[in-house]
Amino acid sequence: IYEVKDNVAVVRINDPTSKVNTLSRHMQAEMVEVMNEIWGNAAVKSVVLISRKPGCFIAGADINMIQACKTAEEVTSLSQEGQKIFDQVEKSPIPIVAAINGSCLGGGLEFAIACQYRIATKSKKTILGTPEVMLGLLPGAGGTQRLPKMVGLPAAFDMMLTGKNIRPDKAKKMGLVHQLVDPLGPGLKSPEERTIEYLEEVAVDFAKGLAGKKVTVEKKKGLVQKIQDFVMGLPPVRKQIYKTVHSKVMKQSKGLYPAPLKIIECIQTGIEKGNAAGYLTESQNFGKLAMTSESRALIGLYHGQVTCKKNHFGKPERDVKKLAVLGAGLMGAGIAQVTIDKGVATILKDTTEEGLARGHQQVYKGLNDKTKKKSLTTFERDGIMSLLSGQLDYRDFENADMVIEAVFEDLSIKHKVVKEVEAVIPPHCIFATNTSALPIKDIAAASKRPEKVIGMHYFSPVDKMQLLEIITTNKTSKDTTASAVAVGLKQGKVIIVVGDGPGFYTTRCLAPMLAEAVRALQEGVGPKKLDSLTTGFGFPVGAATLADEVGIDVAAHVAEDLGKAFGTRFGGGNVEVLKMMVQKGFKGRKSGKGCYVYGAKSKEKKVNSGAEDILKSFKLTAPPAVSADEDIQYRLVSRFVNEAVLCLQEGILPDPVQGDIGAVFGLGFPPCLGGPFRFVDSHGADKLVQKMKRFEEAYGNQFTPCQLLLDHAKDSSKRFHK
Amino acid sequence: MIRASKKEKCTFHFHNTTVNIFVGLFLSVVFSNHTAKSKKTLAKPGVKNIVLVDGVRTPFLQSGTIYADLMPHDLARAALQGLLNRTGLPKDAVDYIVYGTVIQEVKTSNVAREAALGAGFSDKTPAHTVTMACISSNQAMTTAVGLIAAGQCDAVVAGGVEFMSDVPIRHSRRMRKTMLSLNKAKTLGARLSLLGSIRLAHLAPELPAVAEFSTAETMGHSADRLAAAFGVSRLEQDEFALRSHTLAKKAQDSGLLSDVISFKVPGKDIVSKDNGIRPSTMEQMAKLKPAFIKPHGTVTAANSSFLTDGASAVLIMSEEKALAMGYKPKAYLRDFVYVSQDPKDQLLLGPTYATPKVLEKSGLTLNDIDVFEFHEAFAGQIMANLKAMESDWFAQTYMGRKTKVGAPPMEKFNSWGGSLSLGHPFAATGCRLVTTVAHRLQKEGGQYGLVAACAAGGQGHAMVIEAYPQ
């Protein structure tokens, strides 16, 4: 398993059962065995630790191993085993060099920082980080103790609390790695293979240097570093930092996420009370966190996301090599951007030159911002832009493999577009419609080939929002679906595939919640209060702000359409409030005014007094029995959740996993709750039904729990997630 | 071959080299025993024969040395004048002049014209400047070939110049913008407010870099990665660099570098030798630290070509015209190709791509070639190219070829030194390569020679040269 080259033991990590290396029980045991053998081999003077997998050093600990544990104590002992191994690595009598190419995350990074020396390739795939916090956990194998000493307190907090990925250049600057190695191009072997070989050669040289004391681990500290070290040596300064970080975390997480607070505690204990206490706190906190519902929810989302990044409809008959987007508005341009970004030639068609120029600029800006962040070179940007053809006519549509229309949400316009496009596209070309509420079968009614018609509902802004909701009608062919999913995956989306109906899944869940939000506003809950109630529940964006972002006009449109389709269940707030706001020009952020006023520079958002006046004129009296803060929160959430469960009951949703992913990634349902279905599981369907019954008494059928929810309430063994 | 030059100062020198070449010719005719060629000649029916009449160059000097106070057109003029002297060409017999340059002096952006006027060519002879990085003068020569082949010209002078002792250093973009706006400002107030907008940071100058614009990677860095990709060791690179210097020294000492003209530098002495040839020892070379990838890289100052000042020029004619004017041409310029590939990871692999392509075009094989002259940008780059040319896997995977072309035998390869030792004034190197092939074919007695070079931008060039029958 290891080879000795010139007194250097080269250990090559390779998990044959997986595409990535993870720190499983098996691998840990094997590692201990190999290291003990190496330490016992007098001929070995130093060690190189490297992965044989091209894009991965060690991607982290095995999540399943943690999930399999039943108690906090079990997880704590897992953590302590990891701590023990890495402690031995840290105290190794001979230097160990970690040679990193590809992802070095979580437990992988903790392993690497226990080594005496780190060399990383500058490959785009090389990332270092501690993403545990995103799974509601913390670095439980010494990470909270070693990182602050290595990169300093502020950087360590930043890494562990955000879980962000660190690129090689940054890692070198931070002192996280000692040397960088450039990735190689074609040679006598494939670039990937040769780059790993080269990394190993360089690492072996350094290992020899370290063993022969020709290379020193300590690097000279600059003045800034010395000053920082001095300042951090002052207990009052550290105290202030803990305080600031703590209050920042509380402000951002509303106290809904336990992991960041536990991370702060671990770091603080280690620094203020010494190693032994620090390691103990780390392992105990790790155990506690693993048992929290938040961690289960976040891990559930992680697994769900993995599932939703696969094409379950097979390989499409033909690849989409040329895509055409109709309408260069916010959505159309966004779709074009994420498509050319992945190397697919795209036509962006609009009806006016102004519209086209705006859309073109949006795409350019999106890519140019990436060059500013250095994730793209200007040449790559230009090359990507060259794939975009902005035009006003239907030229070259005869070569399109897929058309996505993102024109105005009006059925007659959509029908006109379907007919125009079908006259110019080839027979195999798929017609996808990006609508947020119009039923796809109604749009497909104008088509000569409904089997090629599908819904692709993107979320705004397209280049930032990960979700894509694909809607199939009963006429949509499987190959059409496979092709739409393939395109979406190429665009980097997380995909849910749902059935057709007014509002599909996502819009249908959001609409009742927004209707309830409007009612709350009418009842005198101010926009700011409403926002703080919703963010306090875990929504990343408050309900009033969300309405402004979506657009009051869109909300009005959807509320009216879905109100017609679903009747009083979608009632609550008065649609006229929204219509009146639109009439006054309060269309949300895009028009500068909505619930709030959007000034160019003001930091603090001001409530739009014009909107307040409208709300006053539609004032309702709040029934005191269901108007406590918590009641308002549950009124909003329960309507969302009930509608989601109803979608599953009606077969719009194929399974709870896609329901959770769609709600969290598309609508910002609180990630700490894991989505509406996991929320029902963890909160208890019975408790939720009880609350809804109370609301039902005050308001009527908007709060009538659906049958599936009632079934779950009756039988507590019924769960959406196993 | 040479219409005896009647110029005073250089006569003695010229006679000397002339003698050397004749001796060389004699020897090679007597002793060489060449294998049968795939083709007796590359002449094609209905295609004009184009010949290299002669080629010269100024001594190639390390930048910042004796040429330091000149301007690029001064060097170019010296080469052009040298060509006139060497060939005794009537000044008005030249139809056209094409000259290459890479780093442009902004005052003489058409350096070809400025140099030609000062060199005493007729002011009725048009001149233009071309640029294609390190193959700029190759481009100048093939432009000349094109003009003649198309029947538009009969006699064209081509060449190239590079002057690294002085390069344009600009104000920052912000500063330039302010200065340009200043010109347009009408009132004193407007001018003052513009002047007031200048910040200290705006005064920081912009330095030119020998880096790819598309990738922002310096060439040395790319060469180091290339060497690593092909597993070229530091030792191999140092050995090759030492070989280059040793062979160059030998060639210089035995007077083989007859393309070098003497140049009286204004205010300085006469220069008649390249000054970068310094054979060292492996031990000394091993002491150097890597220049680009630190600390584990393999490309050092000693195994890279150095910044050089120099200029070159060649006279290219249709064979008919050359004969009619009483010249004995040195060589035929035959098939040539330009290639280009990924400027990031294959920046310096031009020779690998160009060699099989030009051989295929001319119907020759590697075995038919008697003389190879490859541009030596870096020892690591040459070694990587040789390994790539020896690799079936590389040929199949990246070049879409069935088999490798094979690496040139070292005894035929750059045997009078190369860019590593003689120096590499970017745009002047191409003519040196072609002239050297012609001279080596005469001296060593072969029939076919091959020139290949890489260039920034991931481009490359190769040309087949056929000896003129003696």
Side-chain angles (χ1 to χ4, degrees):
Chain A
I1 298 189
Y2 72 96
E3 181 193 344
V4 181
K5 280 181 170 177
D6 269 355
N7 299 331
V8 181
V10 179
V11 182
R12 301 189 184 95
I13 311 164
N14 190 12
D15 181 352
T17 61
S18 165
K19 265 198 242 171
V20 294
N21 292 321
T22 49
L23 289 174
S24 58
R25 276 182 203 274
H26 178 72
M27 197 206 275
Q28 286 180 18
E30 215 172 351
M31 212 60 190
V32 170
E33 199 180 311
V34 171
M35 288 313 298
N36 282 330
E37 204 179 311
I38 289 173
W39 282 320
N41 184 343
V44 175
K45 302 283 185 248
S46 55
V47 184
V48 166
L49 190 67
I50 191 167
S51 158
R52 286 182 64 176
K53 296 200 188 289
C56 176
F57 176 69
I58 299 172
D62 179 5
I63 298 180
N64 298 327
M65 169 178 79
I66 298 166
Q67 276 189 299
C69 294
K70 296 273 182 297
T71 64
E73 289 69 34
E74 250 182 280
V75 183
T76 296
S77 80
L78 261 187
S79 161
Q80 281 165 345
E81 278 165 41
Q83 287 178 346
K84 202 174 115 195
I85 298 170
F86 293 163
D87 184 57
Q88 285 176 324
V89 168
E90 186 176 58
K91 298 198 174 111
S92 167
I94 51 174
I96 305 173
V97 177
I100 303 159
N101 179 49
S103 45
C104 173
L105 300 171
L109 183 78
E110 292 179 286
F111 198 166
I113 61 174
C115 296
Q116 283 68 37
Y117 206 77
R118 284 162 296 284
I119 304 175
T121 64
K122 284 206 242 174
S123 155
K124 278 197 170 176
K125 284 186 180 155
T126 300
I127 42 170
L128 299 95
T130 47
E132 288 90 343
V133 71
M134 296 197 263
L135 299 177
L137 299 169
L138 54 75
T144 66
Q145 304 304 303
R146 283 193 189 90
L147 262 184
K149 290 183 190 114
M150 187 168 289
V151 298
L153 204 47
F157 272 131
D158 187 39
M159 276 180 76
M160 286 188 268
L161 295 178
T162 62
K164 67 164 93 154
N165 288 333
I166 307 224
R167 307 236 157 253
D169 285 326
K170 178 86 191 297
K172 173 96 192 293
K173 268 187 212 149
M174 290 170 64
L176 202 52
V177 300
H178 298 87
Q179 296 293 341
L180 296 177
V181 167
D182 287 278
L184 301 179
L188 298 176
K189 288 176 182 166
S190 77
E192 295 75 25
E193 200 183 339
R194 177 61 194 144
T195 298
I196 294 180
E197 243 181 43
Y198 178 54
L199 173 65
E200 185 180 306
E201 289 164 15
V202 173
V204 165
D205 270 351
F206 275 103
K208 277 193 269 183
L210 283 163
K213 310 265 183 240
K214 280 178 201 146
V215 176
T216 49
V217 173
E218 294 304 322
K219 69 166 194 183
K220 276 181 216 144
K221 285 181 176 172
L223 185 62
V224 178
Q225 189 61 43
K226 280 183 188 161
I227 293 173
Q228 201 187 352
D229 287 357
F230 171 74
V231 173
M232 290 299 159
L234 305 171
V237 174
R238 291 202 302 269
K239 210 173 156 192
Q240 188 57 41
I241 291 181
Y242 300 136
K243 219 177 119 190
T244 315
V245 173
H246 191 274
S247 67
K248 210 171 163 188
V249 165
M250 284 306 287
K251 197 178 160 202
Q252 283 182 1
S253 71
K254 315 279 174 198
L256 296 170
Y257 294 83
L261 301 173
K262 294 279 186 216
I263 289 172
I264 298 173
E265 192 187 322
C266 292
I267 295 178
Q268 191 170 356
T269 309
I271 290 182
E272 306 302 330
K273 297 190 181 149
N275 276 346
Y279 279 106
L280 186 65
T281 311
E282 181 185 271
S283 61
Q284 286 174 345
N285 280 347
F286 189 67
K288 284 180 203 159
L289 285 176
M291 294 298 127
T292 58
S293 64
E294 289 84 0
S295 175
R296 289 215 184 88
L298 292 168
I299 290 176
L301 287 174
Y302 168 77
H303 286 308
Q305 196 184 359
V306 171
T307 315
C308 293
K309 281 210 168 246
K310 286 183 185 143
N311 195 338
H312 304 281
F313 296 85
K315 195 179 152 32
E317 275 166 36
R318 29 198 325 168
D319 278 345
V320 171
K321 296 213 172 94
K322 177 162 258 170
L323 185 91
V325 180
L326 298 175
L330 217 53
M331 297 305 285
I335 297 167
Q337 183 190 327
V338 299
T339 313
I340 55 172
D341 200 13
K342 296 298 181 309
V344 178
T346 304
I347 296 170
L348 182 61
K349 183 197 172 301
D350 204 280
T351 48
T352 69
E353 206 167 280
E354 298 77 56
L356 188 60
R358 197 217 61 82
H360 202 273
Q361 180 59 28
Q362 181 190 327
V363 177
Y364 180 81
K365 185 174 180 299
L367 294 170
N368 197 43
D369 286 351
K370 285 192 180 183
T371 68
K372 286 183 190 157
K373 287 184 205 143
K374 303 234 163 105
S375 64
L376 214 59
T377 69
T378 54
F379 265 74
E380 285 164 337
R381 174 201 65 202
D382 296 346
I384 292 169
M385 275 308 280
S386 74
L387 293 169
L388 184 72
S389 166
Q391 56 195 60
L392 297 171
D393 54 15
Y394 282 107
R395 181 168 45 87
D396 213 20
F397 270 61
E398 68 272 17
N399 295 315
D401 302 304
M402 179 183 283
V403 174
I404 302 178
E405 68 78 17
V407 303
F408 192 68
E409 293 268 57
D410 179 293
L411 196 58
S412 62
I413 295 180
K414 302 248 184 206
H415 279 173
K416 184 173 157 253
V417 162
V418 170
K419 283 178 189 148
E420 268 180 33
V421 169
E422 284 190 351
V424 289
I425 54 176
H428 74 272
C429 181
I430 290 162
F431 184 93
T433 167
N434 173 60
T435 170
S436 54
L438 295 175
I440 309 302
K441 65 172 178 1
D442 295 354
I443 296 173
S447 170
K448 285 183 287 185
R449 41 220 263 304
E451 73 282 2
K452 296 278 184 198
V453 179
I454 195 164
M456 289 174 87
H457 178 201
Y458 289 86
F459 293 76
S460 182
V462 180
D463 60 328
K464 300 269 160 28
M465 294 293 283
Q466 280 182 284
L467 191 73
L468 169 63
E469 181 180 30
I470 288 178
I471 307 104
T472 58
T473 71
N474 51 14
K475 288 186 183 158
T476 307
S477 75
K478 193 181 162 210
D479 185 61
T480 299
T481 312
S483 193
V485 173
V487 166
L489 289 177
K490 193 157 213 180
Q491 292 165 335
K493 297 293 168 197
V494 172
I495 295 168
I496 61 169
V497 181
V498 304
D500 194 20
F504 332 119
Y505 168 62
T506 54
T507 310
R508 188 170 152 186
C509 290
L510 188 62
M513 184 169 114
L514 282 180
E516 196 58 31
V518 172
R519 168 150 61 198
L521 288 169
Q522 284 178 261
E523 286 176 355
V525 179
K528 285 205 170 171
K529 169 85 176 172
L530 182 63
D531 273 356
S532 87
L533 286 175
T534 29
T535 54
F537 201 80
F539 282 90
V541 178
T545 306
L546 183 65
D548 276 1
E549 295 288 337
V550 170
I552 304 295
D553 52 338
V554 176
H557 220 274
V558 168
E560 200 164 29
D561 282 358
L562 296 191
K564 273 180 209 154
F566 294 109
T568 50
R569 195 174 80 237
F570 272 55
N574 192 339
V575 186
E576 294 305 318
V577 173
L578 298 173
K579 283 188 173 172
M580 183 81 89
M581 283 177 74
V582 175
Q583 230 174 52
K584 291 259 163 110
F586 307 150
K587 291 186 187 169
R589 178 188 275 281
K590 59 190 167 191
S591 69
K593 276 182 184 177
C595 296
Y596 295 98
V597 181
Y598 296 90
K601 276 173 194 166
S602 73
K603 246 188 177 177
E604 190 70 14
K605 267 193 301 192
K606 280 209 302 210
V607 175
N608 178 9
S609 58
E612 277 183 315
D613 292 343
I614 296 174
L615 286 170
K616 267 180 209 149
S617 67
F618 285 93
K619 187 154 178 58
L620 297 173
T621 317
V626 289
S627 294
D629 284 359
E630 201 192 295
D631 287 332
I632 298 173
Q633 288 176 324
Y634 275 98
R635 272 159 50 194
L636 292 160
V637 173
S638 63
R639 290 191 65 181
F640 187 122
V641 171
N642 187 47
E643 204 59 38
V645 177
L646 190 54
C647 284
L648 183 65
Q649 181 184 315
E650 288 178 359
I652 295 277
L653 259 185
D655 54 57
V657 171
Q658 297 192 59
D660 281 346
I661 292 294
V664 173
F665 287 89
L667 305 172
F669 193 90
C672 56
L673 302 178
F677 296 94
R678 194 171 293 275
F679 169 70
V680 172
D681 282 352
S682 62
H683 184 82
D686 48 345
K687 279 197 219 154
L688 187 65
V689 166
Q690 274 170 25
K691 287 191 178 95
M692 290 184 73
K693 291 254 159 91
R694 203 152 55 77
F695 302 148
E696 192 182 12
E697 255 168 55
Y699 292 116
N701 77 334
Q702 290 129 28
F703 289 98
T704 310
C706 69
Q707 189 55 47
L708 186 57
L709 194 55
L710 287 171
D711 292 349
H712 276 241
K714 241 178 267 165
D715 181 356
S716 67
S717 72
K718 280 197 171 171
R719 300 178 74 80
F720 292 113
H721 293 284
K722 290 290 159 290
Chain B
M1 175 189 89
I2 286 168
R3 296 242 223 119
S5 160
K6 288 172 191 82
K7 291 287 169 196
E8 321 74 40
K9 275 179 192 162
C10 308
T11 328
F12 173 73
H13 185 72
F14 283 154
H15 278 188
N16 230 352
T17 46
T18 315
V19 169
N20 269 333
I21 287 167
F22 279 129
V23 172
L25 273 178
F26 172 72
L27 288 176
S28 65
V29 168
V30 173
F31 294 110
S32 67
N33 179 19
H34 290 282
T35 49
K37 303 292 183 195
S38 307
K39 277 179 148 184
K40 275 189 179 161
T41 172
L42 293 180
K44 290 174 201 159
V47 174
K48 219 178 252 186
N49 280 326
I50 294 166
V51 295
L52 173 79
V53 176
D54 210 339
V56 299
R57 65 180 175 94
T58 68
F60 285 178
L61 303 189
Q62 298 176 61
S63 66
T65 58
I66 304 171
Y67 296 149
D69 296 327
L70 300 179
M71 280 181 68
H73 72 286
D74 293 327
L75 271 182
R77 194 174 63 236
L80 289 171
Q81 259 173 328
L83 185 71
L84 287 178
N85 292 344
R86 177 76 58 97
T87 56
L89 181 72
K91 284 165 186 170
D92 51 4
V94 179
D95 298 320
Y96 203 88
I97 298 170
V98 195
Y99 223 70
T101 196
V102 179
I103 310 283
Q104 286 202 341
E105 162 61 52
V106 284
K107 289 181 187 165
T108 58
S109 62
N110 188 2
V111 68
R113 179 65 174 163
E114 313 306 341
L117 285 172
F121 280 87
S122 159
D123 61 7
K124 302 286 187 296
T125 304
H128 84 265
T129 302
V130 294
T131 190
M132 199 172 181
C134 302
I135 51 178
S136 293
S137 61
N138 305 83
Q139 185 53 258
M141 287 183 286
T142 55
T143 302
V145 168
L147 286 168
I148 296 168
Q152 304 306 306
C153 296
D154 284 318
V156 180
V157 168
V161 61
E162 207 61 45
F163 188 67
M164 296 303 288
S165 290
D166 181 33
V167 293
I169 297 173
R170 302 202 296 180
H171 269 299
S172 69
R173 182 79 189 245
R174 285 291 300 271
M175 191 64 192
R176 287 180 346 243
K177 201 174 171 186
T178 309
M179 290 161 89
L180 290 169
S181 312
L182 215 51
N183 283 339
K184 289 180 201 149
K186 292 207 173 73
T187 64
L188 183 65
R191 270 182 222 135
L192 284 176
S193 101
L194 274 171
L195 286 173
S197 73
I198 297 173
R199 298 282 168 272
L200 203 60
H202 302 174
L203 296 172
E206 255 176 32
L207 297 167
V210 187
E212 282 298 297
F213 186 61
S214 61
T215 63
E217 187 181 23
T218 63
M219 198 177 266
H221 196 278
S222 190
D224 205 319
R225 287 197 305 114
L226 184 73
F230 282 93
V232 179
S233 69
R234 167 78 182 265
L235 189 73
E236 282 175 281
Q237 295 180 45
D238 285 353
E239 275 171 357
F240 185 83
L242 185 58
R243 171 191 191 268
S244 180
H245 280 277
T246 310
L247 291 175
K249 183 83 174 78
K250 213 168 127 195
Q252 190 179 51
D253 289 348
S254 45
L256 294 172
L257 305 179
S258 61
D259 53 342
V260 179
I261 54 158
S262 289
F263 175 26
K264 168 68 181 72
V265 182
K268 304 259 172 77
D269 290 337
I270 294 176
V271 186
S272 42
K273 271 186 171 181
D274 305 324
N275 74 357
I277 306 172
R278 287 172 304 171
S280 172
T281 62
M282 288 300 288
E283 291 72 36
Q284 271 176 317
M285 293 177 81
K287 280 185 196 155
L288 282 181
K289 286 194 171 152
F292 302 98
I293 294 185
K294 295 162 190 173
H296 54 272
T298 52
V299 173
T300 68
N303 60 36
S304 314
S305 56
F306 48 88
L307 293 181
T308 314
D309 299 336
S312 59
V314 295
L315 176 59
I316 299 173
M317 284 188 173
S318 63
E319 185 182 21
E320 296 166 294
K321 176 79 173 182
L323 295 177
M325 286 184 75
Y327 286 114
K328 169 90 186 197
K330 287 192 165 171
Y332 292 108
L333 302 184
R334 299 298 194 190
D335 296 290
F336 61 85
V337 295
Y338 288 92
V339 294
S340 58
Q341 61 284 335
D342 169 24
K344 173 83 183 153
D345 288 331
Q346 304 195 27
L347 181 70
L348 304 172
L349 284 180
T352 300
Y353 282 85
T355 302
K357 210 170 160 189
V358 80
L359 286 174
E360 210 163 72
K361 197 164 191 182
S362 52
L364 299 179
T365 68
L366 203 74
N367 290 332
D368 291 317
I369 305 296
D370 303 299
V371 161
F372 292 89
E373 278 293 325
F374 277 33
H375 160 50
E376 300 168 349
F378 300 88
Q381 164 260 336
I382 287 288
M383 298 311 290
N385 272 284
L386 297 182
K387 293 194 185 208
M389 291 165 83
E390 260 306 320
S391 165
D392 278 326
W393 185 82
F394 188 85
Q396 287 154 6
T397 315
Y398 291 98
M399 297 168 65
R401 309 188 73 86
K402 286 201 185 83
T403 53
K404 64 185 182 185
V405 62
M410 287 313 274
E411 65 275 14
K412 297 178 180 177
F413 189 83
N414 293 10
S415 51
W416 292 358
S419 297
L420 287 173
S421 46
L422 301 170
H424 173 40
F426 306 142
T429 292
C431 289
R432 175 185 70 75
L433 295 173
V434 167
T435 308
T436 305
V437 166
H439 287 173
R440 280 181 57 199
L441 283 172
Q442 289 187 331
K443 181 85 182 162
E444 294 164 9
Q447 187 185 0
Y448 295 122
L450 184 117
V451 159
C454 57
Q459 310 211 76
H461 166 77
M463 181 188 260
V464 175
I465 291 149
E466 185 177 344
Y468 200 82
Q470 301 304 319

